[in-house]
Amino acid sequence: MSNSSTFSQQAWQQNLALFEATLALPFNQTLADGSLPRDVFQHYMIQDAHYLVAFGRALAVAAAKADDAPGVVQFAAAAQEAVVAERELHQSFMQAYAVSAEQFARTPLSPTCHHYCHFLQSVAWSRSYPVALAALLPCFWIYAEVGVHLQARSVAHNPYQGWIDTYGGDEFHAHVRAVRATVDAVAAQADARTLAEMHAAYTDAARLEWMFWDSAYRLQTWPC
């Protein structure tokens, strides 16, 4: 791999097989053809709403650690957007799929969601700004690329088209490109040890993205 490639390009290539495995998950395959069971999508939405609050908290911590004003603004705004997106789930998809506020409130985080939330918040609090950004990047980028893939494969009258279009659309992709640019700029100033830690954090988060969709399809709950 060329030394002139950016951090994000390197991370993507190093984890390409994992991304392809994510695309091949039954959750994403059946989301594209519209056959995903309704209860599975309900379970996924509840877990995603829980996750987005934790994601917003991690973004807020990253904003506080930013080493320049644009970084503070960018990730503080991203934190706000994550929490706003969680609220909008209640007003749109959750209403459409008959998930009540009471059902959401009494449904705990699944083991995978719990782990992913705590991973992001732990990295954001305890690690450096570059490593925190690397851990946060897969949620933005993998969702965007999965969205594009699903748009290309989605069937006519897909009941999940609204969700697919949210993540496959130009607005979300522009946001992802801006996050990538910031991560790459930060990585360009990092030493070798920090870069290695960034790559490890990115891979861990990418694995958790795979686990999140897989666990949703299996309606994962705590064993006892």
Side-chain angles (χ1 to χ4, degrees):
M1 186 174 295
S2 171
N3 290 332
S4 63
S5 59
T6 66
F7 168 81
S8 65
Q9 290 169 337
Q10 292 173 13
W12 189 263
Q13 288 302 314
Q14 290 172 12
N15 294 278
L16 184 58
L18 179 55
F19 173 69
E20 291 172 346
T22 301
L23 292 180
L25 284 169
F27 184 98
N28 288 323
Q29 294 292 311
T30 56
L31 192 68
D33 67 21
S35 67
L36 182 70
R38 184 183 179 92
D39 62 333
V40 172
F41 193 65
Q42 288 173 325
H43 177 81
Y44 163 79
M45 283 191 299
I46 291 171
Q47 296 304 316
D48 195 42
H50 283 309
Y51 168 84
L52 284 171
V53 175
F55 185 56
R57 290 190 177 115
L59 285 163
V61 175
K65 289 188 172 184
D67 50 16
D68 58 22
V72 174
V73 172
Q74 181 179 17
F75 293 106
Q80 180 182 15
E81 179 59 30
V83 176
V84 168
E86 183 272 329
R87 291 176 179 171
E88 288 178 347
L89 278 173
H90 290 280
Q91 300 301 319
S92 55
F93 291 111
M94 286 198 182
Q95 286 188 0
Y97 286 88
V99 177
S100 67
E102 294 74 20
Q103 181 181 358
F104 170 73
R106 70 172 181 264
T107 303
L109 280 69
S110 70
T112 294
C113 185
H114 184 275
H115 179 43
Y116 198 0
C117 290
H118 282 264
F119 166 76
L120 288 179
Q121 292 176 107
S122 174
V123 171
W125 277 109
S126 65
R127 307 296 292 278
S128 66
Y129 177 55
V131 176
L133 294 189
L136 290 162
L137 179 58
C139 181
F140 289 109
W141 198 3
I142 292 175
Y143 258 77
E145 296 304 324
V146 167
V148 168
H149 177 82
L150 293 177
Q151 278 189 323
R153 296 187 60 252
S154 183
V155 299
H157 309 297
N158 190 330
Y160 306 114
Q161 194 65 48
W163 185 95
I164 292 170
D165 289 342
T166 295
Y167 293 103
D170 292 339
E171 182 177 354
F172 186 68
H173 279 257
H175 182 47
V176 173
R177 286 193 296 271
V179 172
R180 280 184 59 196
T182 298
V183 176
D184 287 338
V186 169
Q189 304 300 316
D191 59 26
R193 179 176 178 177
T194 300
L195 283 172
E197 292 174 350
M198 291 177 71
H199 278 290
Y202 181 97
T203 297
D204 284 343
R207 287 169 174 157
L208 284 162
E209 285 291 322
W210 184 98
M211 291 173 64
F212 192 91
W213 274 307
D214 177 66
S215 66
Y217 191 77
R218 293 185 291 104
L219 298 173
Q220 184 191 54
T221 58
W222 293 93
C224 57

